[in-house]
Amino acid sequence: MNIIEISSLTHEGVEVFGGLTEAQLRMELEPEKGLFIAESPKVIRVALDAGWEPTALLCERKHIEGDASDIVARVGDIPIFTGERELLAELTGYKLTRGVLCAMRRKVLPTVEDVTRNARRIVVIDAVTDTTNIGAIFRSAVALGIDGVLLTRDSCDPLNRRAVRVSMGSVFLVPWTWIDGSISSLHDYGFRTAAMALSDDSIALDDSRLAHEPRLAIIMGTEGDGLPQHVITEANYTVKIPMAHGVDSLNVAAAAAVAFWELRRKSNEF
């Protein structure tokens, strides 16, 4: 074990846990050299099981032979930084969740064609910027049988630290990538598209036509304004969730979970 005791915020190598911004970690131009942070033993285990490569650990002393002992045994000879709890909190800017952070190397993402090749149900996330919502959508997608996730470039990075934590590691369990250009290009891959939005011609989520679509892309819009009009216009269906008491919308993560469940259940997957 390569355990390194730190007593200073300037110790070489720890900047990845506190001194770099999310954008600096991401390495836009060379994603294969980029990093992200996985937080908590449970999430780190999911990432390791899914084949993501660790580069360094930041761990409270008590967890090295405690909650994180199995992780320490799996990560090989990477640096394992440890120190006083207060110093680690000062370094990261917050108290460590379950006392363990792991820096991991990003992978080259699959293409849209790769993500959609064998998929029957995918979700397209359009301009959703809230990290909590991104993480929650991924968690629901994995739990409810969505085969792939596509995100427009103006959406939050799924490997943002908070998004990873909220997803409970689900971002490692479903193929995802960025989609450039028009979402309607998914028609070229054999998908019909369903825009989740309120309009005069919206159909109900439990409409039988949706359930019988062999390949369907469910498009979820931003938290505030919803989907752009051109996305709604280009979609094959505009879909609403029928609601009571005059409520006209749900949080995007809650709406996604309802849509995933209804459409997968009608496909006889559960």
Side-chain angles (χ1 to χ4, degrees), residues 76-205:
D77 195 36
I78 66 171
I80 302 172
F81 298 106
T82 190
E84 297 293 339
R85 179 180 177 87
E86 294 74 16
L87 179 66
L88 300 187
E90 187 177 353
L91 171 66
T92 60
Y94 52 88
K95 291 184 179 179
L96 275 63
T97 300
R98 300 299 299 276
V100 190
L101 298 178
C102 185
M104 308 194 90
R105 195 171 306 284
R106 288 174 179 260
K107 298 179 181 181
V108 175
L109 291 175
T111 64
V112 172
E113 183 178 5
D114 291 334
V115 171
T116 59
R117 182 174 294 116
N118 298 313
R120 296 178 61 241
R121 292 291 186 269
I122 63 173
V123 60
V124 182
I125 300 174
D126 186 289
V128 175
T129 59
D130 183 87
T131 55
T132 298
N133 283 336
I134 289 289
I137 292 171
F138 266 84
R139 189 172 184 183
S140 294
V142 170
L144 301 174
I146 294 297
D147 302 312
V149 181
L150 303 176
L151 304 98
T152 60
R153 293 281 182 176
D154 50 357
S155 293
C156 170
D157 175 22
L159 295 181
N160 171 282
R161 180 188 64 83
R162 183 169 176 80
V164 171
R165 180 165 65 85
V166 171
S167 82
M168 295 301 293
S170 293
V171 294
F172 310 125
L173 300 179
V174 62
W176 64 270
T177 196
W178 305 104
I179 182 170
D180 296 307
S182 173
I183 294 173
S184 63
S185 65
L186 291 173
H187 298 153
D188 297 336
Y189 298 97
F191 279 85
R192 303 271 280 177
T193 53
M196 299 297 296
L198 294 173
S199 70
D200 292 340
D201 60 350
S202 293
I203 65 173
L205 181 62

